[in-house]
Amino acid sequence: MEKLPFQLKGLAAAVYTPFKSNGDINFGVISEYIDYLVKDGVQNAFICGTNGEGISLTFQERKEVAETWKHENNGRLKALVLHVGSGGIRETQELAAHAEKVGVDAIASGPPYGVKPRNLEELALYLQKVASCAPTTPFYYYHLDMNNSVKFGDMEDFIDILQQIPIPTFCGIKFTSKDLAELARCCRHPAGYQIASGHDPLLLPALAAGANVFISGTANFQGKLFSGIMDAFNGGDLQTATKLYDQLLKHSNIMRKYGPGVALGKAVTKLARFDPGPPRSPLRPVTKETEAMLKNDLQKIGFFESIN
Amino acid sequence: MEKLPFQLKGLAAAVYTPFKSNGDINFGVISEYIDYLVKDGVQNAFICGTNGEGISLTFQERKEVAETWKHENNGRLKALVLHVGSGGIRETQELAAHAEKVGVDAIASGPPYGVKPRNLEELALYLQKVASCAPTTPFYYYHLDMNNSVKFGDMEDFIDILQQIPIPTFCGIKFTSKDLAELARCCRHPAGYQIASGHDPLLLPALAAGANVFISGTANFQGKLFSGIMDAFNGGDLQTATKLYDQLLKHSNIMRKYGPGVALGKAVTKLARFDPGPPRSPLRPVTKETEAMLKNDLQKIGFFESIN
Amino acid sequence: MEKLPFQLKGLAAAVYTPFKSNGDINFGVISEYIDYLVKDGVQNAFICGTNGEGISLTFQERKEVAETWKHENNGRLKALVLHVGSGGIRETQELAAHAEKVGVDAIASGPPYGVKPRNLEELALYLQKVASCAPTTPFYYYHLDMNNSVKFGDMEDFIDILQQIPIPTFCGIKFTSKDLAELARCCRHPAGYQIASGHDPLLLPALAAGANVFISGTANFQGKLFSGIMDAFNGGDLQTATKLYDQLLKHSNIMRKYGPGVALGKAVTKLARFDPGPPRSPLRPVTKETEAMLKNDLQKIGFFESIN
Amino acid sequence: MEKLPFQLKGLAAAVYTPFKSNGDINFGVISEYIDYLVKDGVQNAFICGTNGEGISLTFQERKEVAETWKHENNGRLKALVLHVGSGGIRETQELAAHAEKVGVDAIASGPPYGVKPRNLEELALYLQKVASCAPTTPFYYYHLDMNNSVKFGDMEDFIDILQQIPIPTFCGIKFTSKDLAELARCCRHPAGYQIASGHDPLLLPALAAGANVFISGTANFQGKLFSGIMDAFNGGDLQTATKLYDQLLKHSNIMRKYGPGVALGKAVTKLARFDPGPPRSPLRPVTKETEAMLKNDLQKIGFFESIN
């Protein structure tokens, strides 16, 4: 288990899964995608999460996506974290085992998308069963407390419970929630797990709360700005950090205006970098009209200058 | 499309998926299971729904479960309705196509368990894509407005939307919600779809609201009582219906006391009929102690007499 | 305590508080209001509840409203039930004491509108303090599980808790919730309290669930239809009950279309009976345009024939 | 309207209302209370809010509390902000008018505790009516998005709406919500209102988000620590700010352990400063046992050293 203790370093992009116009996965653009990320200073990818529409892929596709990212990356991004959560336990376990075979750097899972645990103890028992199928691969809990997901109690309580229901490969939490007081407490827990913040508009406050690693959707096109804020804050230059954060919030406001989400993020990626194609149903691609308005709004706030 | 218009008749049991103690599916007891249901007057089965832990099965297992029920039933139960909803659209479509090939009598799906539609229109567009893969198989919408699921607006509005976004195989709604005013309105909608009530403790009020078909978990062991209430009500004998409903509520109270759910239902089935084995994680089987208390409580209310 | 045990009999209207156009209470129309109710077969009034905008009245106004209804009624309506719940305990206690002095037939209160109890035990302790200030006046718990109110656990559990935290004047629950399974269980509780259903579109299913008394907003103009359904059901004539219930649901649908609520109910009352004036801010009276459309829709379903 | 534009400066304590053991208000300790606050560097008081159990006071008591704070303060605290929100509009308007007569420095109100506005526009219209009764007193919106309160949309949208529905005395928002991304956007709104953060465990992240004024319950006993964090942050000394924030979080953790709230805060105040007496029902004072455990836990984290 030489990979442990494992620590993500720097910025991770929560990457999209590119699709062709017929809805099939567009494996051919993944290498170019990685180029863009690396050029922007992004160091890691979080694959098949919410942004990656992992749960909208078939079991077979998820394996192929993992294999392709591993093969195409070829060491360029420092770490590949693969989300293996699915509808139920057996496929999640198989995806975990497959991930270890493929050789990703870490895996992540939340509760199953179907039948829900009733409390944190049942959640820990479930995750213990999942993580045991990838016994040498670092494991992150995917805490998603937004977008109609069910909140499972307090993450500090969860970390306490893990002392009773141990998961040997447990490394930390992908903390996609707005509750920075909870994040601040988790960052100070003596267990010392890594708490990776996942809500982009909270970047600067999350740094102040104690987060030092981020898994970000914005990093798909704004890695430089994101890293700039982190670097300024870590260097003690709050003034610069705040000025860059102002720019990030301008972008967040546009995302909020058009409805945040994967469809919109893919549209921005198309305008900014390369075309990741449409999302899968029930998501719908943004219309031509929205795309035009979006482009106009992004130009007004200097988005395209900020990413180059 | 000779199967349409399709109407479920009588009582459907929301059947469990039997597991062995190692967690594998116990296909061997399904024929015996059907025997019990038929003997109790149950006429249909709803397979791979919440009770059937469908979303906890692998893609491959779900196909095998569908094939086995079809083969083992051999016409004994009048109709087999298969839930094909999964994490995302492509597997749901494949399960729908497979169901048609197997020859089940109807399929059902709710929204995907992963990425959620944002409104009823997106839901209808999603279901249209699913149903189109089983073009001659009657389709039910699986409306689950309980257990932390996301509620998608009002079902009367949904029926209205289907007039704009047509699903040719649409037959009705498995209405698993406590809102009987909504159910009453849906039952009176001129579109004339079948509204199958799915919350057992509401049986008699749901009959009064206008429901005439039920998909019931209690029917796994209490088909006689359930049918008795339906028959008395339909025969205009409210006094008898109410007296039998009193008995049903006594049972509901015990289920409520120990926490309603699949694990408990499987324990009652074991005490009453045959052993369907443990549920899958994150569910946990009831303990020996709970089973003993449960048995005692069931004896006190005359449960075992009521089912024979 | 000669008034106990107390039982409401027949139908109660959840009456509006009439206002003048300047927002002051229009005490002058209350006698005429009672005339209409009595003519429609309504037997009781529930005063200063949600429909009565009780919490929007000042402390002083609430006392005057209670006094006026008592004085103007002069025995015409069989029972006056006064809601005394307010922001906090002391004013609620004073309103309860005042109600007893005025001589209303029963009082009702939910949790305070401000600081909330954290559980059913704290709720019972609070209500015990309130009810003790009106020691000879029957007390109903105002269970409001709709319109963004906080749900306080299960009412069957609450009745159990009252066996430990007794309220000597406790008579029953104004059960304004859609959960008829919970209502059915409460109706069968050995404590034998009266469970008064308060959600009008559920009338017929609620009767089947076991409710035998209703506190209804619709009764402000549709007392005859409401009583007709109750009478037909109680006489065992389900066919007539269902036919009349169809008419009630047509009306419910119109209320749903324009947004249910006090402002709309007052507009319907104006069209049907007498002008109760506008509601108080933050509610806004319906516009002239809405009123015209509402009238047209009501005409189409035969509303005006149904009420005369 | 010489008071406008008004800006709170420095730290405000969300003060408790002291009660005697018989439940009456203990006016006699308010002067001593102010002494403690001033000694700790607290500059302002927020009176009759959630901490002050304002909604649990009678209408008459609220006036007396306002008068007493004004009289006893005698200029020691820089600004007194009085919460005037109540069950309904008329009493809120009267409290606003009384506040202006008394001469408090600012008033605050949220939506009424009873009938709720349905959207931000109705909320703004309601508050416009309230604020107009105190035409020369600065007005803050009391945004309470916690503790089972109803969330009214996004505060940035609310500020936009105020450009259409103007409130001349509007000065800012008491932002008691965990959503720091929303707070960050509000702080950057060109309208330039003051956004006062009200969730203590978020202090340092809220500073990073852009908040520069705080209304704090912790400030009742921890004004020095609180001010220390603000001063260090504003002086660019993140290291010291973080170290002091660690101490604040240790305290937050203890509050979380025993259940946050007014009853607990009053118990800590009693241990730390003076006895503010019990809270009013439905709140219950902490038990002797809890008080002993609490004292022990506070000693362990060095709480008593930190406040002196």
Side-chain angles (χ1 to χ4, degrees), chain D residues 104-265:
Chain D
V104 301
D105 300 281
I107 58 172
S109 176
Y113 284 83
V115 183
K116 296 297 182 198
R118 287 172 303 175
N119 50 51
L120 290 170
E121 191 191 357
E122 288 190 1
L123 175 62
L125 288 169
Y126 173 87
L127 297 176
Q128 197 184 46
K129 287 184 176 68
V130 169
S132 70
C133 295
T136 66
T137 303
F139 181 88
Y140 285 85
Y141 174 59
Y142 190 6
H143 176 59
L144 184 60
D145 174 28
M146 299 172 69
N147 308 326
N148 293 322
S149 66
V150 179
K151 178 168 163 60
F152 278 94
D154 187 277
M155 283 300 101
E156 190 181 4
D157 296 338
F158 179 60
I159 294 174
D160 286 341
I161 281 170
L162 289 181
Q163 311 316 307
Q164 314 304 319
I165 304 173
I167 299 177
T169 52
F170 196 86
C171 283
I173 298 173
K174 175 180 184 338
F175 191 94
T176 306
S177 158
K178 294 182 180 178
D179 193 334
L180 290 188
E182 188 179 337
L183 179 142
R185 289 187 280 103
C186 290
C187 289
R188 283 156 181 82
H189 195 286
Y193 297 128
Q194 197 170 37
I195 312 299
S197 176
H199 187 52
D200 292 358
L202 284 176
L203 172 54
L204 186 55
L207 284 162
N212 55 31
V213 61
F214 292 82
I215 298 173
S216 153
T218 313
N220 280 301
F221 28 80
Q222 254 179 349
K224 284 181 191 169
L225 184 59
F226 219 92
S227 299
I229 296 170
M230 290 168 74
D231 291 346
F233 182 88
N234 291 329
D237 182 359
L238 258 170
Q239 208 169 359
T240 300
T242 300
K243 204 180 133 205
L244 295 173
Y245 181 52
D246 289 349
Q247 177 67 23
L248 188 74
L249 286 172
K250 280 182 197 160
H251 177 65
S252 289
N253 259 2
I254 289 175
M255 298 297 274
R256 203 173 76 85
K257 175 179 170 187
Y258 291 103
V262 174
L264 197 67

Side-chain angles (χ1 to χ4, degrees), chain A:
Chain A
M1 231 168 42
E2 64 201 282
K3 283 176 183 173
L4 292 170
F6 174 86
Q7 293 270 310
L8 273 179
K9 286 188 188 65
L11 182 57
V15 296
Y16 299 112
T17 298
F19 293 116
K20 300 177 189 170
S21 57
N22 71 355
D24 289 346
I25 296 174
N26 187 359
F27 292 108
V29 298
I30 289 178
S31 185
E32 179 192 356
Y33 195 167
I34 295 170
D35 273 347
Y36 280 118
L37 296 173
V38 170
K39 215 175 56 183
D40 276 4
V42 174
Q43 288 159 279
N44 315 289
F46 186 81
I47 302 162
C48 284
T50 302
N51 262 358
E53 295 171 85
I55 187 69
S56 294
L57 306 181
T58 68
F59 183 64
Q60 187 54 35
E61 285 176 331
R62 291 182 74 162
K63 292 183 177 177
E64 291 168 22
V65 167
E67 291 161 11
T68 305
W69 275 89
K70 175 68 183 178
H71 178 262
E72 296 291 347
N73 183 51
N74 197 20
R76 288 182 289 170
L77 291 163
K78 293 285 177 296
L80 301 179
V81 184
L82 183 70
H83 175 235
V84 298
S86 79
I89 187 159
R90 290 228 165 168
E91 292 198 346
T92 303
Q93 289 178 314
E94 288 182 40
L95 289 172
H98 177 263
E100 179 150 314
K101 212 165 55 189
V102 167
V104 300
D105 300 282
I107 58 172
S109 177
Y113 284 83
V115 183
K116 296 295 181 199
R118 286 172 305 175
N119 49 52
L120 289 169
E121 191 191 357
E122 287 190 2
L123 175 63
L125 288 168
Y126 173 86
L127 296 175
Q128 196 184 49
K129 287 184 174 68
V130 168
S132 72
C133 294
T136 67
T137 303
F139 180 88
Y140 285 85
Y141 173 59
Y142 189 7
H143 176 58
L144 184 59
D145 174 28
M146 298 172 72
N147 309 326
N148 292 323
S149 67
V150 179
K151 177 166 164 62
F152 278 94
D154 187 277
M155 283 299 101
E156 190 180 5
D157 296 337
F158 180 61
I159 295 174
D160 285 341
I161 281 170
L162 289 180
Q163 312 315 306
Q164 313 304 319
I165 304 173
I167 299 177
T169 52
F170 196 85
C171 283
I173 296 173
K174 174 179 185 338
F175 190 94
T176 305
S177 158
K178 294 182 180 177
D179 193 336
L180 289 188
E182 188 179 336
L183 180 141
R185 290 186 280 105
C186 289
C187 289
R188 284 155 180 81
H189 196 287
Y193 297 126
Q194 199 171 36
I195 312 299
S197 177
H199 186 51
D200 291 359
L202 284 176
L203 172 53
L204 186 54
L207 284 162
N212 56 32
V213 61
F214 292 82
I215 298 172
S216 154
T218 313
N220 280 301
F221 30 78
Q222 252 178 352
K224 283 179 190 171
L225 184 60
F226 218 93
S227 300
I229 296 170
M230 292 168 74
D231 291 347
F233 182 88
N234 291 330
D237 181 359
L238 258 171
Q239 209 170 359
T240 300
T242 300
K243 204 180 132 206
L244 296 173
Y245 181 52
D246 289 348
Q247 176 68 25
L248 188 73
L249 285 173
K250 282 181 197 160
H251 177 66
S252 290
N253 259 1
I254 290 175
M255 298 297 273
R256 202 173 78 84
K257 176 178 170 187
Y258 292 102
V262 173
L264 196 67
K266 285 190 155 181
V268 176
T269 302
K270 182 185 166 194
L271 292 170
R273 296 290 183 239
F274 75 102
D275 187 356
R280 272 199 184 160
S281 176
L283 298 179
R284 288 189 288 181
V286 303
T287 60
K288 290 277 170 211
E289 291 72 31
T290 299
E291 194 179 309
M293 288 190 297
L294 177 63
K295 188 177 177 182
N296 190 37
D297 279 354
L298 290 172
Q299 279 169 337
K300 274 193 207 152
I301 63 158
F303 172 78
F304 295 103
E305 289 80 5
S306 80
I307 64 173
N308 287 314

Side-chain angles (χ1 to χ4, degrees), chain D residues 29-41 76-77:
Chain D
V29 298
I30 289 178
S31 185
E32 179 192 356
Y33 195 167
I34 295 170
D35 273 346
Y36 280 118
L37 295 174
V38 170
K39 215 175 57 183
D40 277 5
R76 288 182 288 170
L77 291 163

Side-chain angles (χ1 to χ4, degrees), chain C residues 103-286:
Chain C
V104 302
D105 300 282
I107 58 173
S109 177
Y113 284 83
V115 184
K116 296 296 182 197
R118 288 173 303 176
N119 50 51
L120 290 170
E121 191 191 357
E122 287 190 2
L123 175 62
L125 288 169
Y126 173 86
L127 297 175
Q128 197 184 47
K129 287 184 176 66
V130 169
S132 72
C133 294
T136 66
T137 304
F139 181 88
Y140 285 84
Y141 173 59
Y142 190 6
H143 176 60
L144 184 59
D145 174 27
M146 299 172 70
N147 309 326
N148 293 323
S149 67
V150 179
K151 178 168 162 59
F152 278 94
D154 187 277
M155 283 300 101
E156 191 180 4
D157 296 339
F158 179 61
I159 295 174
D160 285 341
I161 281 170
L162 289 180
Q163 312 315 308
Q164 313 304 318
I165 303 173
I167 298 177
T169 52
F170 196 86
C171 283
I173 297 173
K174 176 179 183 339
F175 191 94
T176 305
S177 157
K178 294 183 180 177
D179 193 334
L180 290 188
E182 188 179 338
L183 179 142
R185 289 186 281 103
C186 289
C187 289
R188 283 155 181 81
H189 195 287
Y193 298 127
Q194 198 170 37
I195 312 299
S197 177
H199 187 50
D200 292 358
L202 284 175
L203 172 54
L204 187 54
L207 284 162
N212 56 32
V213 60
F214 292 82
I215 298 173
S216 153
T218 313
N220 280 300
F221 29 80
Q222 253 178 352
K224 282 181 191 170
L225 184 60
F226 219 92
S227 300
I229 295 170
M230 290 168 75
D231 291 347
F233 182 88
N234 292 329
D237 182 358
L238 257 171
Q239 209 169 356
T240 300
T242 301
K243 205 181 132 203
L244 295 173
Y245 181 53
D246 290 348
Q247 177 66 23
L248 188 73
L249 286 173
K250 280 182 197 160
H251 177 66
S252 290
N253 259 2
I254 290 175
M255 298 297 274
R256 202 172 78 85
K257 175 179 170 187
Y258 292 103
V262 173
L264 196 67
K266 284 191 156 181
V268 176
T269 302
K270 182 185 167 193
L271 292 170
R273 295 290 183 237
F274 74 103
D275 187 357
R280 272 201 183 158
S281 176
L283 298 180
R284 287 189 288 181
V286 302

Side-chain angles (χ1 to χ4, degrees), chain B residues 18-38:
Chain B
F19 293 116
K20 300 178 189 170
S21 56
N22 71 355
D24 290 345
I25 296 174
N26 187 1
F27 292 107
V29 298
I30 289 177
S31 185
E32 179 192 355
Y33 195 167
I34 295 170
D35 272 346
Y36 280 118
L37 295 173
V38 170

